[in-house]
Amino acid sequence: MTTRRHLLAFAPALLAFGLPGPVRATELVAYDAQAFEAAQGEGRPILVQISAPWCPICRAQKPILAALAADPRFKTLAVFTIDFDTQRDLVRRFGAQMQSTLIVYKGKTEVARSVGETQPEWIEQLLEKAL
């Protein structure tokens, strides 16, 4: 039986070869105000990921988030990405000071945020707060 730790350990390899369709429970979506508001209105758990392509911490977060997205607990998690460099208005709107910011909502309420986190267990705990 595969444990979460095994899944997280093999996340980079899974990403390199591509995840099979059914495993992709959560898709990354570029931030869209209407979709974000709809997810909030439905009371869904939400992750707003503010990142930059040049950021090594952001690159480290991506396989961790992809592996966690495969976990059935997070199948309803809506993930919205915001580019730190090109979407400065949204970065300000969400009150982010840096790239590698993860903001978690439970419906309309922000329940947690993290900056620069790369420990899989801590990121998992962050996402659990939205459930």
Side-chain angles (χ1 to χ4, degrees):
M1 185 168 137
T2 303
T3 65
R4 269 192 303 238
R5 291 197 191 279
H6 289 113
L7 185 61
L8 291 173
F10 291 108
L14 288 172
L15 289 175
F17 294 106
L19 296 171
V23 176
R24 289 187 184 202
T26 304
E27 293 290 328
L28 297 176
V29 177
Y31 180 83
D32 174 89
Q34 287 181 323
F36 180 75
E37 289 173 14
Q40 284 186 312
E42 295 168 5
R44 290 181 62 187
I46 300 169
L47 168 65
V48 175
Q49 177 185 9
I50 300 174
S51 64
W54 49 264
C55 170
I57 294 171
C58 303
R59 282 194 299 272
Q61 289 174 335
K62 286 182 192 251
I64 296 166
L65 291 169
L68 288 170
D71 187 319
R73 293 177 302 148
F74 302 114
K75 68 181 177 191
T76 61
L77 180 70
V79 181
F80 296 95
T81 62
I82 296 174
D83 186 281
F84 184 77
D85 295 323
T86 62
Q87 296 178 297
R88 299 298 292 167
D89 56 329
L90 291 172
V91 171
R92 281 189 294 276
R93 176 178 170 211
F94 283 94
Q97 301 296 314
M98 296 181 63
Q99 71 284 352
S100 74
T101 299
L102 304 174
I103 308 169
V104 179
Y105 289 83
K106 191 171 194 170
K108 294 184 179 186
T109 305
E110 180 181 329
V111 292
R113 75 172 49 208
S114 173
V115 178
E117 186 54 62
T118 59
Q119 293 295 319
E121 296 84 8
W122 292 359
I123 293 175
E124 180 178 9
Q125 290 171 5
L126 179 77
L127 297 182
E128 286 174 340
K129 292 178 181 182
L131 300 179

